[in-house]
Amino acid sequence: LVELFVEELPPKALKKLGDAFAGVLADQLKAQGLAGADSQLTAYASPRRLGAHLTAVAARGADRAVSQKLMPVSVGLDASGQPTPALLKKLAALGADASVVPNLKRAPDGKAEALFYESTARGALLADGLQKALDEAIARLPIPKVMTYQLADGWTDVKFVRPAHGLVALHGAHVVPVSALGLAAGNATHGHRFEATVDPIVVQDADSYAATLQERGAVIPGFDSRRAEIRRQLDAAAAKVGGGVKPIADEALLDEVTALVERPNVLVCQFEEEFLAVPQECLILTMKANQKYFPLLDAQGRLTHKFLVVSNISPSDAGAVIGGNERVVRPRLADAKFFFDQ
């Protein structure tokens, strides 16, 4: 498991950032023989974290046979079959000496015969392999513009999409000693700003990461899981309103709202019915584009005076949240009505 805890990731790029981060990490570990084709990847992306969970990761990669072409036989061996200075120099660069010359393999290479040095390369250690994978994943993130910020020493500059404040790297229950963006890996992260039961949150092992964050941190870390939960709550709230109303279908809006919340809580709000005299396209546009609300449409596709809000908090009394959103949307709709009337 790897998690990078970041300050307010850009919502419109969150899904792409999360998939890229996890994908590069997995590809790099597989390329180094630390993960296999049967390893299962889960990407995590929330407004304040990028993460990846990969199964079947080895503590050390398997050793592998390596065959390296040295030079043509006519260049490497003299007329008596003894190694030339050029061959000895090449072998020394590879950490070998003249004792391996009798075991060098001869094989055709085009029109000439060449010498090949066959050896066994030790498998990569997880700490080294993960460090390389993490550096590559960060470097290849699709970030159009980075920001520069200082580390705690007040001197070192770091460039990233937003300031990073924490790094988790776990292999089972063990911390993998890697670093990134001036941060050393540990096993502690942070949950919801207001609703986490503890802070920081200690992750006991890699496999319990998502469950721990959800139970103790009030965060659904997986983008797809959070998106599915929002869709479920939208449909449930519409069914509770009744009358066959449905939330407007807008996949881009659903993606953006998913990237704005860590613990979704869908609430039903309403506005004055007099605003329905304005063409519904105007009202729908301002609710979606400006406020990220989900208008409710009746069975005939007509706009109703009720809409759904995806809140990031779950208070025991949601009245203040509902009232606040209704108060905010009213001037927006009044502006739309004014311009239409004019």
Side-chain angles (χ1 to χ4, degrees), residues 100-135:
V100 305
V101 172
N103 297 321
L104 294 179
K105 180 181 178 182
R106 296 188 182 196
D109 184 50
K111 294 182 179 180
E113 189 177 36
L115 294 170
F116 291 84
Y117 174 54
E118 296 185 333
S119 61
T120 300
R122 296 292 303 274
L125 291 172
L126 178 57
D128 298 331
L130 183 57
Q131 183 66 67
K132 180 180 177 181
L134 184 57
D135 292 341

Side-chain angles (χ1 to χ4, degrees), residues 71 75-78 82-92:
M71 58 189 65
V75 177
L77 301 176
D78 60 20
Q82 296 302 308
T84 63
L87 177 58
L88 293 175
K89 183 177 180 181
K90 182 70 173 179
L91 288 172

Side-chain angles (χ1 to χ4, degrees), residues 9-48:
L9 289 158
K12 290 188 177 180
L14 182 62
K15 180 71 162 66
K16 185 183 294 185
L17 290 174
D19 289 345
F21 182 76
V24 174
L25 269 176
D27 291 344
Q28 287 291 314
L29 291 176
K30 289 178 181 178
Q32 297 176 75
L34 292 163
D38 58 339
S39 296
Q40 300 296 315
L41 174 65
T42 303
Y44 297 113
S46 82
R48 300 201 295 163

